[in-house]
Amino acid sequence: MAWVVLVVAGVLETVWAVALDGSKGFSRLVPSLVFVVALVLSMGGLAYAMRGIPLGTGYAVWVGIGAIGTALYGMVALGDAVTAARVTCLLLILSGVVGLKVLH
């Protein structure tokens, strides 16, 4: 169960990062509220998951999922460059996340 919660918390990290950008420095209400809610749920999920997952593993997986999700959102929805080097780097992060799960 801790791993499922950790993955959801990592996805919520992507949500709050996107909402933070959309809030334009907290000047827009709805994205600012989405940011706060997603941040609290994401941190709460990380805290819950760390009851059964070591700190280093949990945090690295949480950040990795958030980083991959945010980068993919940027490429798909915001027109960020999609290059072989960027995709390779994201695949390396993904392999690290999977590796940490397998080695746990």
Side-chain angles (χ1 to χ4, degrees):
M1 182 66 172
W3 282 98
V4 172
V5 172
L6 183 60
V7 169
V8 171
V11 171
L12 285 168
E13 186 185 1
T14 297
V15 172
W16 68 250
V18 170
L20 180 61
D21 180 55
S23 77
K24 305 296 183 210
F26 300 115
S27 65
R28 297 176 60 210
L29 180 62
V30 172
S32 297
L33 292 174
V34 170
F35 165 77
V36 170
V37 170
L39 179 68
V40 168
L41 292 173
S42 180
M43 291 287 180
L46 175 62
Y48 176 85
M50 287 188 344
R51 292 178 179 180
I53 300 171
L55 168 67
T57 300
Y59 185 73
V61 168
W62 179 74
V63 168
I65 292 169
I68 292 167
T70 305
L72 288 175
Y73 179 85
M75 288 188 272
V76 171
L78 303 178
D80 292 354
V82 180
T83 65
R86 290 187 79 177
V87 171
T88 300
C89 290
L90 291 174
L91 289 172
L92 288 169
I93 294 170
L94 179 61
S95 68
V97 168
V98 171
L100 287 171
K101 167 58 174 133
V102 169
L103 296 173
H104 177 259

